[in-house]
Amino acid sequence: AAEDLDVVTQVPHAALRVYVMGQRGVDREPANAQDRAEMARLAAAGFRLVSGGTDNHLMLVDVFSKGLTGKVAEAALGKAGITVNKNGIPFDQNPPMVASGVRIGTPAVTSRGMREPEMDLIAEFIATVLAAPEDDGVAASVRDRIEVLCRKFPLYPEPRS
């Protein structure tokens, strides 16, 4: 229990990612460019970005404007191997367990070394799945493409000699 501890520490997940990946630091500019690339692609696919941008590598996307709920979008993307969270949006008409948006984050793929071209692909995958959220064939096809992409960017690359 916490009362039995002499010292309690906390490590922000971003710092832990940097340590695990063996990096000495994170250049924010490329990460911001990656966020902008994904946001632009999603906006081009007709999705409304609630905040209009991001300062923390998370974006809130209104899927209700495309006739979906956050709950449906989260499940459909999950079948395709894309992890997002349903999330309420400002003035949401839906209850919290249904929600009208999804929250998408880029830190996990950035840690793998993915950059703007991969963000474009990921946004394309999201748009493809959400265009046919009930189609298991579409989800399976996207999942296969994601597996190929992830093999190119392993979580723990082989150490350099």
Side-chain angles (χ1 to χ4, degrees), residues 63-141:
V63 295
F64 198 64
S65 63
K66 298 275 281 184
L68 301 170
T69 65
K71 183 176 181 176
V72 167
E74 177 184 54
L77 291 167
K79 286 190 290 186
I82 301 171
T83 303
V84 300
N85 300 101
K86 65 182 171 290
N87 207 97
I89 61 173
F91 310 106
D92 204 333
Q93 302 172 27
N94 288 309
M97 294 307 292
V98 175
S100 295
V102 292
R103 188 178 66 233
I104 301 172
T106 58
V109 295
T110 300
S111 292
R112 294 179 87 136
M114 295 184 193
R115 300 292 179 250
E116 290 93 339
E118 292 79 29
M119 296 301 159
D120 279 345
L121 277 175
I122 293 167
E124 176 189 324
F125 296 157
I126 291 169
T128 299
V129 170
L130 295 183
E134 304 297 325
D135 190 329
D136 289 339
V138 168
S141 173

Side-chain angles (χ1 to χ4, degrees), residues 13-87:
H13 75 279
L16 184 59
R17 282 188 9 258
V18 170
Y19 175 76
V20 169
M21 295 304 292
Q23 300 170 348
R24 297 238 182 251
V26 174
D27 186 351
R28 290 182 179 259
E29 193 53 40
N32 290 337
Q34 290 158 214
D35 295 339
R36 287 190 299 271
E38 187 168 12
M39 290 185 301
R41 181 69 171 218
L42 289 170
F47 290 97
R48 184 175 75 90
L49 305 173
V50 174
S51 64
T54 181
D55 293 330
N56 61 5
H57 313 297
L58 295 172
M59 58 197 86
L60 183 55
V61 180
D62 175 1
V63 295
F64 198 64
S65 63
K66 298 275 281 184
L68 301 170
T69 65
K71 183 176 181 176
V72 167
E74 177 184 54
L77 291 167
K79 286 190 290 186
I82 301 171
T83 303
V84 300
N85 300 101
K86 65 182 171 290
N87 207 97

Side-chain angles (χ1 to χ4, degrees), residues 138-159:
V138 168
S141 173
V142 168
R143 187 176 50 248
D144 291 344
R145 292 179 67 194
I146 289 171
E147 287 174 5
V148 169
L149 178 62
C150 287
R151 278 195 294 274
K152 292 179 185 176
F153 296 91
L155 277 173
Y156 302 103
E158 293 296 320

